[in-house]
Amino acid sequence: MKAATLVLALFANIASFALGEDGVASWMSRDLAGKPTASGTPFNPDRRTAASWAHFKKWVKVTNLLNGREVIVWCDDRGPAKRLHRAIDLSPVAYWQIALPSDIRRGTMRVRITPLFQ
């Protein structure tokens, strides 16, 4: 019985890793350019980076759930503020690469975040 439980737990972890997690993405202001990120590197709005508590210092693929567009980003910062109930903040260039016009006006979009290279 213990082996079966272990196999089920392992399968659940692999499935969640492969499928990723769904959440809300927003974008970081260009006004933050040059400010240090949590990793110590200056924020560059023209690089494909992101801020995420769950994926700090990891590569992730972010997929817009409405149009299927994808971008791969390096999470070099922590955030967004947990009280905002957002999963990830993307740099402007990464956000605009996958956004629809309505996403740009609204400032948020529904995404799937899939960790890479664990």
Side-chain angles (χ1 to χ4, degrees):
M1 195 70 170
K2 288 183 182 179
T5 305
L6 178 62
V7 169
L8 286 175
L10 181 60
F11 179 74
N13 284 338
I14 290 170
S16 67
F17 172 79
L19 296 175
E21 63 182 90
D22 292 357
V24 176
S26 57
W27 57 280
M28 296 181 276
S29 171
R30 287 189 165 275
D31 295 342
L32 299 173
K35 305 263 191 219
T37 62
S39 66
T41 59
F43 175 63
N44 182 343
D46 297 319
R47 295 187 65 211
R48 287 176 182 84
T49 59
S52 170
W53 287 96
H55 304 290
F56 181 59
K57 291 192 174 182
K58 295 178 186 172
W59 288 98
V60 296
K61 177 174 69 173
V62 181
T63 306
N64 184 326
L65 293 176
L66 289 179
N67 62 16
R69 291 183 188 159
E70 302 173 337
V71 65
I72 294 175
V73 295
W74 173 248
C75 295
D76 66 348
D77 206 356
R78 290 187 183 98
K82 292 180 182 180
R83 65 181 167 74
L84 298 176
H85 305 291
R86 295 184 184 149
I88 196 165
D89 276 342
L90 299 171
S91 65
V93 72
Y95 188 90
W96 295 329
Q97 182 174 335
I98 64 173
L100 293 166
S102 60
D103 299 328
I104 293 171
R105 282 190 302 275
R106 188 175 47 255
T108 61
M109 70 175 102
R110 298 279 307 152
V111 297
R112 175 163 295 134
I113 303 163
T114 308
L116 303 174
F117 314 115
Q118 293 286 324

